[in-house]
Amino acid sequence: MSIYWSQVDIEELTGSGVVYFNSKMEMLEGLPCKMYKLTYQQSLWTHCHDYFQIWYVAKGTFQHSVNQQAYEISKGDIFVIPPFTLHSVSISPDEDIEIYGCEFMPAFVNERFQEMPADHAFFDVGFLEYFLRQEMNAQSKITLDSVTDVTVQNVLKDMLIEYERRTPFFQISLKAKLLVLLSILVRQVNGELLREGFEKSEKYRGIMTRVVDHIHNHYQEDMNLNDLCTLSNLSRSTFCILFKEWTGKTFNRYLTDLRILQAMMMLKQPELSVTDVCYSTGFNELSYFCRIFKKYTGISPTDFRKQAIK
């Protein structure tokens, strides 16, 4: 699935009374991110901007309308507005508010977002894609639980301090904290998926732990995927999915990684020949072992041994 934020005809919008805020006017030169704290804010007519906007409410209540849908925002709520999204804010003149704001260009997360549309072929898309899907509206009002609320507020306060003090390398710290904030919010807007994943993890925890223990105890023996499917009493397709989720690797990759790691340790023992190490770690052919070992480490088993026991 491709993700993108729709460009709009700015002249047409401004001609119809919509206010447009431009990052070049709103942000520091060379820093596509801005932090601020509001203790007073007038209502804002319908407007849009070319950057992401995050507002976290530490105090007060107001109405936030996104694409003509109204949300009541109060203490402990946070929202994320994608670029070029029409929205407005209605705040009572005597409302006591405290809002932490973060505005950033997509390129601050990853420079590849500079060109649109962007596909999901690179890792950092995960930080933004859930806030760009037009069919979702959860990001327009995210109500944080008490623990997450404290975490988010502390992250935003730290970001504001970095931005205001501007000590050397503050840009790096600011970006790092923004990614932490976005990762927290991604989990918040995917709460149901997160709960399902947790339940699934708990359901299969015992089975997958037993499988991994079996691999570590028998890696030097002949082992194949069908054996582990039988051990776990799972179909081949289900096992492969669960094993990848549990270990982050396919079965073949996990087993080979483990065998190479053990081989590296054994090669440090001078009394063992390369052939001994080969067969002791589950490889059945010396030439294959040497080829795989060099593929993983960049050097042959013999050269590795020479360097390891100098």
Side-chain angles (χ1 to χ4, degrees), residues 188-223:
Q188 289 292 302
V189 300
N190 288 280
E192 187 62 33
L193 185 63
L194 198 64
R195 284 188 292 274
E196 291 176 0
F198 176 77
E199 292 171 0
K200 181 179 179 181
S201 175
E202 289 302 302
K203 179 180 178 180
Y204 292 104
R205 179 180 297 276
I207 294 174
M208 299 315 296
T209 299
R210 186 165 69 252
V211 166
V212 171
D213 287 345
H214 178 82
I215 294 173
H216 280 255
N217 291 330
H218 300 277
Y219 68 88
Q220 69 275 24
E221 303 171 10
D222 285 336
M223 190 182 304

Side-chain angles (χ1 to χ4, degrees), residues 35-40 58 97-101 157 160 164:
M35 297 297 304
Y36 52 87
K37 177 182 176 181
L38 302 173
T39 53
Y40 173 77
I97 64 167
E98 184 176 313
I99 298 170
Y100 288 88
K157 286 180 178 179
L160 183 60
E164 291 181 337

Side-chain angles (χ1 to χ4, degrees), residues 87-210:
H87 67 125
S88 62
V89 174
S90 179
I91 303 179
S92 173
D94 57 353
E95 184 69 27
D96 185 16
I97 64 167
E98 184 176 313
I99 298 170
Y100 288 88
C102 173
E103 296 169 355
F104 64 94
M105 294 295 288
F108 190 55
V109 171
N110 190 304
E111 289 81 358
R112 291 175 66 180
F113 282 118
Q114 195 73 36
E115 298 180 2
M116 302 178 290
D119 60 37
H120 69 299
F122 62 101
F123 184 82
D124 286 348
V125 168
F127 287 107
L128 300 180
E129 65 174 322
Y130 295 102
F131 309 116
L132 291 166
R133 294 177 176 177
Q134 296 181 359
E135 70 273 14
M136 290 180 61
N137 59 8
Q139 68 269 29
S140 299
K141 177 183 177 179
I142 305 170
T143 300
L144 306 173
D145 60 73
S146 57
V147 175
T148 307
D149 180 39
V150 172
T151 303
V152 165
Q153 189 168 167
N154 287 337
V155 171
L156 283 164
K157 286 180 178 179
D158 288 345
M159 292 175 70
L160 183 60
I161 290 172
E162 290 285 357
Y163 184 81
E164 291 181 337
R165 290 182 179 175
R166 298 176 192 172
T167 53
F169 311 110
F170 80 97
Q171 302 95 327
I172 297 174
S173 179
L174 189 61
K175 177 174 179 175
K177 295 178 190 300
L178 173 61
L179 297 184
V180 170
L181 176 63
L182 291 172
S183 66
I184 294 171
L185 298 183
V186 166
R187 283 184 165 177
Q188 289 292 302
V189 300
N190 288 280
E192 187 62 33
L193 185 63
L194 198 64
R195 284 188 292 274
E196 291 176 0
F198 176 77
E199 292 171 0
K200 181 179 179 181
S201 175
E202 289 302 302
K203 179 180 178 180
Y204 292 104
R205 179 180 297 276
I207 294 174
M208 299 315 296
T209 299
R210 186 165 69 252

